[in-house]
């Protein structure tokens, strides 16, 4: 019995320490978010001009918000930048939309690249390759179609490109949208994702999501350009890893990325989270153990057993207090990320928060159960290390 008792003590101590560590992450995110985010950058005349930025915009299809999202790039307050629209299919309806914006803003330097170039399995890299090759500025920005910019967002990002920084990215967040799906997205990006993102940036760990990113083009060219990352589906993670491996820092800017896709549905959002989980497991295998333990309901239940075993505390009372405090800190963090009042009520937050917390572990199990990734019309299988191979549909004879 003694060896088993020692093992139980060991597990209990480990889970209790891990639980304490999660509260440290909460506190780091709250204080760092308050200090880091939503700082107003004022554009002053300087002797050294601001560096030019080449903005790659990979597009596929049109949603109800696309025109407004793209227009926000034509109206940015930044001295020198170019817009490089990359579209895979020559009959894509986004082409006409971009041409309308070019006619509306003729003074903005913009070009359209159609057809892409196959340099790997990643369709986004393939789509952007012609635009990247034509980019003429020292900074390169990759921005997803669903991102909406403020006038000073680009200035804010370049402001954070210090001499020792190779990559600046925006912390993912969500625009105000109606419906339960919009509430769910905002809760996820303003709590779970924000907590990890802020804590990772504070300690200098790679937690890069490349929906809105600026990089030093020379550093990407050193390793062969963006086509060198075409073998990965999560090219954003490996962009950042390439920088940190060579001693460069990565940093978030003070403005979160405003995701504003016109398609907002619970099923599509959960499919997106499941795909991200599959990528994390392939790239960082210890995610299999630590990610489920990071969930509120899971770590709370295990920690309740641990404190009951170690300190003879009531596990049910401990579990309920754990959930309540976690919930309150998430509400405070969301308010910090939002920089004001959220667009939904407290009851909506309670329902959305509980739904997210209970569904999160289930989505992770689903990701482990089926590692194949569906991305638009294509199917991929991931190998350890994040390298992907495209699965071609079987031809019936």
């Amino acid at each position: 019995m003694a060896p088993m008792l020692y093992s139980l003590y060991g597990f209990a101590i480990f889970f209790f320490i891990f639980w304490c560590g999660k509260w440290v992450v909460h506190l780091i995110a709250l204080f760092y978010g308050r200090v880091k985010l939503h700082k107003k950058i004022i554009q002053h005349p300087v002797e050294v001009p601001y560096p030019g930025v080449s903005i790659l915009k990979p597009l596929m299809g049109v949603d109800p918000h696309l025109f407004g999202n793209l227009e926000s790039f034509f109206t940015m307050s930044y001295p020198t930048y170019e817009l490089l629209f990359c579209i895979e299919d020559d009959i894509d309806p986004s082409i006409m939309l971009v041409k309308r914006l070019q006619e509306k803003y003729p003074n903005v330097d913009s070009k359209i690249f159609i057809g892409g170039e196959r340099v790997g399995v990643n369709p986004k890299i393939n789509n952007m390759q012609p635009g990247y090759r034509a980019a003429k500025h020292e900074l390169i920005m990759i921005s997803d179609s669903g991102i909406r910019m403020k006038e000073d967002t680009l200035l804010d990002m370049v402001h954070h490109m210090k001499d020792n920084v190779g990559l600046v990215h925006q912390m993912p967040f969500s625009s105000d949208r109606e419906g339960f799906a919009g509430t769910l997205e905002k809760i996820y990006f303003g709590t779970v994702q924000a907590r990890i993102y802020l804590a990772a940036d504070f300690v200098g760990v790679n937690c890069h999501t490349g929906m809105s990113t600026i990089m030093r083009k020379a550093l990407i060219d050193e390793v062969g350009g963006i086509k060198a990352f075409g073998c990965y589906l999560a090219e954003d993670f490996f962009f950042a890893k390439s920088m940190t491996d060579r001693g460069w820092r990565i940093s978030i800017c003070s403005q979160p990325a405003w995701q504003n896709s016109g398609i907002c549905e619970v099923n599509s959002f959960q499919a997106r989270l499941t795909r991200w989980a599959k990528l994390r497991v392939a790239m960082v295998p210890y995610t299999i153990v630590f990610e489920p333990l990071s969930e509120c309901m899971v770590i709370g239940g295990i920690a309740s057993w641990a404190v009951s075993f170690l300190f003879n505390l009531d596990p049910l009372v401990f579990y309920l207090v754990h959930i309540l405090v976690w919930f309150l800190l998430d509400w405070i963090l969301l308010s910090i990320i939002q920089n004001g009042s959220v667009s939904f009520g407290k009851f909506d937050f309670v329902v959305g928060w509980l739904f997210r917390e209970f569904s999160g572990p289930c989505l992770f199990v689903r990701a482990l159960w089926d590692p194949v990734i569906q991305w638009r019309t294509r199917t991929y299988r991931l190998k350890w290390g994040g390298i992907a191979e495209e699965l071609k549909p079987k031809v019936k004879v």
Side-chain angles (χ1 to χ4, degrees):
M1 290 293 295
M4 180 177 293
L5 186 61
Y6 289 143
S7 297
L8 289 175
Y9 268 110
F11 280 118
I13 292 171
F14 169 79
F15 289 129
F16 179 72
I17 292 175
F18 188 86
W19 176 80
C20 292
K22 289 301 299 179
W23 293 111
V24 173
V25 172
H26 272 279
L27 295 176
I28 289 175
L30 288 171
F31 287 106
Y32 189 60
R34 180 71 71 180
V35 171
K36 179 76 174 181
L37 299 179
H38 305 292
K39 301 301 179 185
K40 187 67 176 178
I41 305 299
I42 300 176
Q43 185 173 347
H44 296 291
V46 291
E47 295 182 1
V48 179
Y50 287 95
V53 182
S54 297
I55 303 175
L56 295 173
K57 293 291 296 185
L59 303 178
M60 178 180 287
V62 173
D63 68 48
H65 293 169
L66 183 61
F67 186 88
N69 291 338
L70 296 184
E71 187 172 26
S72 69
F73 283 81
F74 282 86
T75 59
M76 292 188 299
S77 178
Y78 191 82
T80 306
Y81 68 94
E82 62 175 343
L83 295 171
L84 308 174
F85 296 98
C86 304
I87 304 168
E88 183 178 354
D89 197 330
D90 60 2
I91 61 171
D92 195 298
S94 64
I95 296 174
M96 295 304 298
L97 187 148
V98 173
K99 288 182 177 179
R100 283 173 54 196
L101 286 167
Q102 288 178 321
E103 293 173 358
K104 187 176 181 180
Y105 300 96
N107 294 328
V108 176
D109 187 2
S110 64
K111 300 180 183 65
I112 300 176
F113 299 87
I114 299 175
E117 180 181 332
R118 185 168 180 83
V119 293
V121 298
N122 187 316
K124 184 176 178 180
I125 293 289
N126 293 341
N127 194 10
M128 294 189 298
Q129 175 61 21
Y132 179 85
R133 194 169 52 245
K136 60 188 179 185
H137 295 306
E138 62 182 282
L139 297 180
I140 195 86
M141 180 179 186
I142 297 176
S143 176
D144 288 353
S145 61
I147 298 297
R148 177 172 63 86
M149 300 285 270
K150 296 180 179 179
E151 286 189 2
D152 61 343
T153 302
L154 186 56
L155 181 67
D156 180 69
M157 297 181 76
V158 174
H159 176 79
H160 286 81
M161 186 67 78
K162 306 301 183 183
D163 291 341
N164 63 339
V165 174
L167 181 151
V168 175
H169 52 123
Q170 290 186 273
M171 186 182 75
F173 195 43
S174 177
S175 298
D176 294 341
R177 286 181 286 180
E178 297 181 354
F180 180 70
T183 299
L184 183 62
E185 284 194 21
K186 187 172 283 287
I187 289 172
Y188 173 79
F189 287 109
T191 59
V192 183
Q193 183 83 349
R195 186 165 57 245
I196 298 301
Y197 229 80
L198 289 167
D201 189 69
F202 179 78
V203 300
V205 174
N206 179 9
C207 188
H208 174 227
T209 301
M211 60 183 65
S212 183
T213 300
I214 284 183
M215 300 176 287
R216 297 185 186 274
K217 188 172 185 293
L219 297 181
I220 299 298
D221 289 338
E222 281 182 8
V223 294
I226 62 171
K227 65 181 180 181
F229 301 87
C231 59
Y232 307 108
L233 285 186
E235 77 291 335
D236 45 9
F237 175 86
F238 291 99
F239 282 145
K241 184 176 185 300
S242 172
M243 302 286 184
T244 57
D245 286 348
R246 287 177 282 168
W248 291 87
R249 288 191 65 248
I250 64 174
S251 175
I252 62 171
C253 65
S254 70
Q255 291 190 20
W258 292 95
Q259 299 177 83
N260 191 41
S261 172
I263 300 173
C264 189
E265 300 171 345
V266 173
N267 288 339
S268 60
F269 177 60
Q270 290 188 323
R272 186 183 179 195
L273 297 185
T274 303
R275 184 174 72 247
W276 285 355
K278 295 176 183 182
L279 291 168
R280 289 194 298 272
V281 168
M283 296 182 300
V284 190
Y286 59 74
T287 298
I288 296 175
V289 175
F290 290 107
E291 184 162 328
L293 285 180
S294 298
E295 295 285 354
C296 172
M297 303 302 175
V298 177
I299 189 58
I302 297 175
S304 298
W305 166 80
V307 297
S308 174
F309 185 83
L310 294 172
F311 309 117
N312 200 30
L313 297 178
D314 187 317
L316 179 59
V317 172
F318 183 91
Y319 188 52
L320 294 177
V321 172
H322 160 87
I323 293 174
L324 177 61
V325 177
W326 194 296
F327 168 85
L328 293 174
L329 293 184
D330 272 356
W331 173 258
I332 295 171
L333 181 59
L334 177 59
S335 299
I336 292 173
I337 310 303
Q338 178 76 9
N339 196 30
S341 300
V342 294
S343 57
F344 46 84
K346 292 182 174 60
F347 178 77
D348 296 319
F349 177 75
V350 171
V351 175
W353 186 86
L354 288 173
F355 182 87
R356 209 305 308 173
E357 294 301 333
F358 280 108
S359 64
C362 299
L363 294 178
F364 188 79
V365 172
R366 183 193 300 177
L368 294 179
W369 185 261
D370 180 18
V372 173
I373 286 184
Q374 298 285 340
W375 189 1
R376 296 187 185 270
T377 60
R378 298 177 173 92
T379 305
Y380 301 89
R381 179 186 289 118
L382 292 174
K383 302 177 181 178
W384 292 116
I387 296 176
E389 62 175 349
E390 185 173 356
L391 301 179
K392 300 294 183 180
K394 295 181 180 180
V395 179
K396 295 182 179 180
V397 179

